[in-house]
PDB file of all heavy atoms in Angstrom:
ATOM      1  N   ILE A 172    -159.832  54.519-213.076  1.00 96.00           N
ATOM      2  CA  ILE A 172    -159.842  54.751-211.627  1.00 96.00           C
ATOM      3  C   ILE A 172    -159.568  56.170-211.265  1.00 96.00           C
ATOM      4  O   ILE A 172    -160.047  56.661-210.258  1.00 96.00           O
ATOM      5  CB  ILE A 172    -158.885  53.763-210.888  1.00 96.00           C
ATOM      6  CG1 ILE A 172    -157.439  53.957-211.340  1.00 96.00           C
ATOM      7  CG2 ILE A 172    -159.314  52.364-211.010  1.00 96.00           C
ATOM      8  CD1 ILE A 172    -156.466  53.157-210.498  1.00 96.00           C
ATOM      9  N   HIS A 173    -158.840  56.897-212.144  1.00 97.00           N
ATOM     10  CA  HIS A 173    -158.614  58.339-211.914  1.00 97.00           C
ATOM     11  C   HIS A 173    -159.940  59.071-212.004  1.00 97.00           C
ATOM     12  O   HIS A 173    -160.247  59.932-211.162  1.00 97.00           O
ATOM     13  CB  HIS A 173    -157.607  58.879-212.914  1.00 97.00           C
ATOM     14  CG  HIS A 173    -157.231  60.271-212.613  1.00 97.00           C
ATOM     15  ND1 HIS A 173    -156.425  60.674-211.573  1.00 97.00           N
ATOM     16  CD2 HIS A 173    -157.582  61.460-213.249  1.00 97.00           C
ATOM     17  CE1 HIS A 173    -156.280  61.977-211.509  1.00 97.00           C
ATOM     18  NE2 HIS A 173    -156.977  62.465-212.562  1.00 97.00           N
ATOM     19  N   PHE A 174    -160.739  58.698-212.988  1.00 98.00           N
ATOM     20  CA  PHE A 174    -162.042  59.386-213.171  1.00 98.00           C
ATOM     21  C   PHE A 174    -162.992  58.938-212.050  1.00 98.00           C
ATOM     22  O   PHE A 174    -163.736  59.748-211.519  1.00 98.00           O
ATOM     23  CB  PHE A 174    -162.627  59.022-214.553  1.00 98.00           C
ATOM     24  CG  PHE A 174    -163.955  59.654-214.796  1.00 98.00           C
ATOM     25  CD1 PHE A 174    -164.118  61.016-214.802  1.00 98.00           C
ATOM     26  CD2 PHE A 174    -165.103  58.857-215.006  1.00 98.00           C
ATOM     27  CE1 PHE A 174    -165.381  61.645-215.059  1.00 98.00           C
ATOM     28  CE2 PHE A 174    -166.332  59.424-215.224  1.00 98.00           C
ATOM     29  CZ  PHE A 174    -166.464  60.845-215.281  1.00 98.00           C
ATOM     30  N   ILE A 175    -162.980  57.649-211.680  1.00 98.00           N
ATOM     31  CA  ILE A 175    -163.872  57.172-210.607  1.00 98.00           C
ATOM     32  C   ILE A 175    -163.535  57.838-209.330  1.00 98.00           C
ATOM     33  O   ILE A 175    -164.421  58.099-208.470  1.00 98.00           O
ATOM     34  CB  ILE A 175    -163.821  55.617-210.541  1.00 98.00           C
ATOM     35  CG1 ILE A 175    -164.439  55.021-211.800  1.00 98.00           C
ATOM     36  CG2 ILE A 175    -164.556  55.134-209.284  1.00 98.00           C
ATOM     37  CD1 ILE A 175    -164.230  53.519-211.921  1.00 98.00           C
ATOM     38  N   ARG A 176    -162.260  58.127-209.070  1.00 97.00           N
ATOM     39  CA  ARG A 176    -161.901  58.836-207.872  1.00 97.00           C
ATOM     40  C   ARG A 176    -162.637  60.208-207.802  1.00 97.00           C
ATOM     41  O   ARG A 176    -163.133  60.616-206.750  1.00 97.00           O
ATOM     42  CB  ARG A 176    -160.366  59.103-207.843  1.00 97.00           C
ATOM     43  CG  ARG A 176    -159.974  60.107-206.739  1.00 97.00           C
ATOM     44  CD  ARG A 176    -158.438  60.295-206.726  1.00 97.00           C
ATOM     45  NE  ARG A 176    -157.862  59.367-205.756  1.00 97.00           N
ATOM     46  CZ  ARG A 176    -156.521  59.264-205.545  1.00 97.00           C
ATOM     47  NH1 ARG A 176    -155.689  59.986-206.229  1.00 97.00           N
ATOM     48  NH2 ARG A 176    -156.096  58.488-204.598  1.00 97.00           N
ATOM     49  N   GLN A 177    -162.772  60.872-208.954  1.00 97.00           N
ATOM     50  CA  GLN A 177    -163.537  62.153-208.949  1.00 97.00           C
ATOM     51  C   GLN A 177    -164.984  61.844-208.722  1.00 97.00           C
ATOM     52  O   GLN A 177    -165.710  62.653-208.035  1.00 97.00           O
ATOM     53  CB  GLN A 177    -163.316  62.816-210.309  1.00 97.00           C
ATOM     54  CG  GLN A 177    -161.886  63.015-210.749  1.00 97.00           C
ATOM     55  CD  GLN A 177    -161.008  63.624-209.699  1.00 97.00           C
ATOM     56  OE1 GLN A 177    -161.370  64.645-209.085  1.00 97.00           O
ATOM     57  NE2 GLN A 177    -159.866  63.035-209.459  1.00 97.00           N
ATOM     58  N   LEU A 178    -165.498  60.755-209.250  1.00 98.00           N
ATOM     59  CA  LEU A 178    -166.894  60.455-209.025  1.00 98.00           C
ATOM     60  C   LEU A 178    -167.199  60.196-207.553  1.00 98.00           C
ATOM     61  O   LEU A 178    -168.222  60.597-206.995  1.00 98.00           O
ATOM     62  CB  LEU A 178    -167.305  59.203-209.844  1.00 98.00           C
ATOM     63  CG  LEU A 178    -167.322  59.322-211.368  1.00 98.00           C
ATOM     64  CD1 LEU A 178    -167.611  58.037-212.024  1.00 98.00           C
ATOM     65  CD2 LEU A 178    -168.318  60.453-211.799  1.00 98.00           C
ATOM     66  N   TYR A 179    -166.295  59.502-206.849  1.00 97.00           N
ATOM     67  CA  TYR A 179    -166.489  59.267-205.403  1.00 97.00           C
ATOM     68  C   TYR A 179    -166.567  60.588-204.657  1.00 97.00           C
ATOM     69  O   TYR A 179    -167.220  60.702-203.660  1.00 97.00           O
ATOM     70  CB  TYR A 179    -165.380  58.412-204.879  1.00 97.00           C
ATOM     71  CG  TYR A 179    -165.600  56.909-204.919  1.00 97.00           C
ATOM     72  CD1 TYR A 179    -165.170  56.164-205.979  1.00 97.00           C
ATOM     73  CD2 TYR A 179    -166.296  56.292-203.891  1.00 97.00           C
ATOM     74  CE1 TYR A 179    -165.386  54.785-206.035  1.00 97.00           C
ATOM     75  CE2 TYR A 179    -166.511  54.930-203.949  1.00 97.00           C
ATOM     76  CZ  TYR A 179    -166.061  54.156-205.004  1.00 97.00           C
ATOM     77  OH  TYR A 179    -166.323  52.830-205.058  1.00 97.00           O
ATOM     78  N   ARG A 180    -165.833  61.617-205.143  1.00 96.00           N
ATOM     79  CA  ARG A 180    -165.746  62.879-204.437  1.00 96.00           C
ATOM     80  C   ARG A 180    -166.982  63.786-204.749  1.00 96.00           C
ATOM     81  O   ARG A 180    -167.342  64.632-203.905  1.00 96.00           O
ATOM     82  CB  ARG A 180    -164.497  63.619-204.834  1.00 96.00           C
ATOM     83  CG  ARG A 180    -163.229  62.961-204.313  1.00 96.00           C
ATOM     84  CD  ARG A 180    -161.997  63.642-204.906  1.00 96.00           C
ATOM     85  NE  ARG A 180    -160.758  63.113-204.346  1.00 96.00           N
ATOM     86  CZ  ARG A 180    -159.513  63.438-204.798  1.00 96.00           C
ATOM     87  NH1 ARG A 180    -159.395  64.241-205.849  1.00 96.00           N
ATOM     88  NH2 ARG A 180    -158.471  62.903-204.242  1.00 96.00           N
ATOM     89  N   HIS A 181    -167.582  63.576-205.873  1.00 96.00           N
ATOM     90  CA  HIS A 181    -168.642  64.524-206.286  1.00 96.00           C
ATOM     91  C   HIS A 181    -169.997  63.878-206.490  1.00 96.00           C
ATOM     92  O   HIS A 181    -170.952  64.635-206.844  1.00 96.00           O
ATOM     93  CB  HIS A 181    -168.214  65.167-207.617  1.00 96.00           C
ATOM     94  CG  HIS A 181    -166.975  66.050-207.516  1.00 96.00           C
ATOM     95  ND1 HIS A 181    -165.690  65.586-207.677  1.00 96.00           N
ATOM     96  CD2 HIS A 181    -166.883  67.355-207.175  1.00 96.00           C
ATOM     97  CE1 HIS A 181    -164.843  66.584-207.478  1.00 96.00           C
ATOM     98  NE2 HIS A 181    -165.538  67.667-207.218  1.00 96.00           N
ATOM     99  N   GLY A 182    -170.134  62.615-206.282  1.00 94.00           N
ATOM    100  CA  GLY A 182    -171.440  61.951-206.506  1.00 94.00           C
ATOM    101  C   GLY A 182    -171.612  60.763-205.621  1.00 94.00           C
ATOM    102  O   GLY A 182    -170.760  60.415-204.781  1.00 94.00           O
ATOM    103  N   LYS A 183    -172.757  60.101-205.745  1.00 97.00           N
ATOM    104  CA  LYS A 183    -173.104  58.985-204.995  1.00 97.00           C
ATOM    105  C   LYS A 183    -172.911  57.741-205.898  1.00 97.00           C
ATOM    106  O   LYS A 183    -173.532  57.611-206.942  1.00 97.00           O
ATOM    107  CB  LYS A 183    -174.581  59.077-204.579  1.00 97.00           C
ATOM    108  CG  LYS A 183    -175.038  57.985-203.600  1.00 97.00           C
ATOM    109  CD  LYS A 183    -176.477  58.199-203.165  1.00 97.00           C
ATOM    110  CE  LYS A 183    -176.937  57.092-202.211  1.00 97.00           C
ATOM    111  NZ  LYS A 183    -178.388  57.189-201.845  1.00 97.00           N
ATOM    112  N   PHE A 184    -171.986  56.827-205.515  1.00 98.00           N
ATOM    113  CA  PHE A 184    -171.527  55.786-206.339  1.00 98.00           C
ATOM    114  C   PHE A 184    -172.075  54.439-205.903  1.00 98.00           C
ATOM    115  O   PHE A 184    -172.015  54.086-204.729  1.00 98.00           O
ATOM    116  CB  PHE A 184    -169.985  55.712-206.315  1.00 98.00           C
ATOM    117  CG  PHE A 184    -169.396  54.845-207.431  1.00 98.00           C
ATOM    118  CD1 PHE A 184    -169.015  55.413-208.643  1.00 98.00           C
ATOM    119  CD2 PHE A 184    -169.247  53.497-207.261  1.00 98.00           C
ATOM    120  CE1 PHE A 184    -168.469  54.642-209.647  1.00 98.00           C
ATOM    121  CE2 PHE A 184    -168.698  52.695-208.261  1.00 98.00           C
ATOM    122  CZ  PHE A 184    -168.337  53.298-209.437  1.00 98.00           C
ATOM    123  N   ALA A 185    -172.666  53.693-206.855  1.00 98.00           N
ATOM    124  CA  ALA A 185    -173.275  52.391-206.538  1.00 98.00           C
ATOM    125  C   ALA A 185    -172.400  51.246-207.072  1.00 98.00           C
ATOM    126  O   ALA A 185    -171.851  51.265-208.171  1.00 98.00           O
ATOM    127  CB  ALA A 185    -174.650  52.280-207.190  1.00 98.00           C
ATOM    128  N   VAL A 186    -172.269  50.196-206.210  1.00 98.00           N
ATOM    129  CA  VAL A 186    -171.715  48.942-206.712  1.00 98.00           C
ATOM    130  C   VAL A 186    -172.903  47.977-206.760  1.00 98.00           C
ATOM    131  O   VAL A 186    -173.430  47.522-205.714  1.00 98.00           O
ATOM    132  CB  VAL A 186    -170.660  48.376-205.759  1.00 98.00           C
ATOM    133  CG1 VAL A 186    -170.173  46.990-206.231  1.00 98.00           C
ATOM    134  CG2 VAL A 186    -169.466  49.355-205.679  1.00 98.00           C
ATOM    135  N   MET A 187    -173.348  47.683-207.955  1.00 98.00           N
ATOM    136  CA  MET A 187    -174.584  46.881-208.177  1.00 98.00           C
ATOM    137  C   MET A 187    -174.297  45.417-207.922  1.00 98.00           C
ATOM    138  O   MET A 187    -173.178  44.970-208.038  1.00 98.00           O
ATOM    139  CB  MET A 187    -175.143  47.159-209.544  1.00 98.00           C
ATOM    140  CG  MET A 187    -175.633  48.608-209.748  1.00 98.00           C
ATOM    141  SD  MET A 187    -176.072  49.024-211.425  1.00 98.00           S
ATOM    142  CE  MET A 187    -174.438  49.109-212.252  1.00 98.00           C
ATOM    143  N   SER A 188    -175.336  44.692-207.620  1.00 95.00           N
ATOM    144  CA  SER A 188    -175.177  43.278-207.178  1.00 95.00           C
ATOM    145  C   SER A 188    -174.872  42.371-208.370  1.00 95.00           C
ATOM    146  O   SER A 188    -174.285  41.270-208.161  1.00 95.00           O
ATOM    147  CB  SER A 188    -176.443  42.805-206.460  1.00 95.00           C
ATOM    148  OG  SER A 188    -177.578  42.873-207.341  1.00 95.00           O
ATOM    149  N   GLY A 189    -175.206  42.740-209.560  1.00 97.00           N
ATOM    150  CA  GLY A 189    -174.983  41.902-210.741  1.00 97.00           C
ATOM    151  C   GLY A 189    -173.437  41.828-211.016  1.00 97.00           C
ATOM    152  O   GLY A 189    -172.667  42.641-210.611  1.00 97.00           O
ATOM    153  N   LYS A 190    -173.056  40.778-211.748  1.00 98.00           N
ATOM    154  CA  LYS A 190    -171.652  40.523-212.041  1.00 98.00           C
ATOM    155  C   LYS A 190    -171.423  40.583-213.589  1.00 98.00           C
ATOM    156  O   LYS A 190    -172.135  39.976-214.334  1.00 98.00           O
ATOM    157  CB  LYS A 190    -171.208  39.228-211.467  1.00 98.00           C
ATOM    158  CG  LYS A 190    -171.157  39.159-209.943  1.00 98.00           C
ATOM    159  CD  LYS A 190    -170.562  37.843-209.444  1.00 98.00           C
ATOM    160  CE  LYS A 190    -170.521  37.890-207.952  1.00 98.00           C
ATOM    161  NZ  LYS A 190    -169.882  36.649-207.372  1.00 98.00           N
ATOM    162  N   ILE A 191    -170.446  41.352-213.917  1.00 98.00           N
ATOM    163  CA  ILE A 191    -170.023  41.439-215.300  1.00 98.00           C
ATOM    164  C   ILE A 191    -168.872  40.491-215.516  1.00 98.00           C
ATOM    165  O   ILE A 191    -167.962  40.405-214.626  1.00 98.00           O
ATOM    166  CB  ILE A 191    -169.620  42.924-215.711  1.00 98.00           C
ATOM    167  CG1 ILE A 191    -169.406  43.009-217.182  1.00 98.00           C
ATOM    168  CG2 ILE A 191    -168.436  43.349-214.906  1.00 98.00           C
ATOM    169  CD1 ILE A 191    -169.295  44.509-217.617  1.00 98.00           C
ATOM    170  N   THR A 192    -168.871  39.725-216.592  1.00 97.00           N
ATOM    171  CA  THR A 192    -167.817  38.714-216.868  1.00 97.00           C
ATOM    172  C   THR A 192    -166.785  39.315-217.800  1.00 97.00           C
ATOM    173  O   THR A 192    -167.103  39.894-218.826  1.00 97.00           O
ATOM    174  CB  THR A 192    -168.426  37.483-217.485  1.00 97.00           C
ATOM    175  OG1 THR A 192    -169.450  36.976-216.645  1.00 97.00           O
ATOM    176  CG2 THR A 192    -167.347  36.430-217.721  1.00 97.00           C
TER     177      THR A 192
END
Side-chain angles (χ1 to χ4, degrees):
I172 59 174
H173 187 72
F174 181 61
I175 293 172
R176 169 177 265 178
Q177 309 309 312
L178 292 177
Y179 270 95
R180 291 172 175 171
H181 294 90
K183 190 178 178 184
F184 194 93
V186 178
M187 295 172 285
S188 59
K190 292 186 178 182
I191 188 168
T192 303

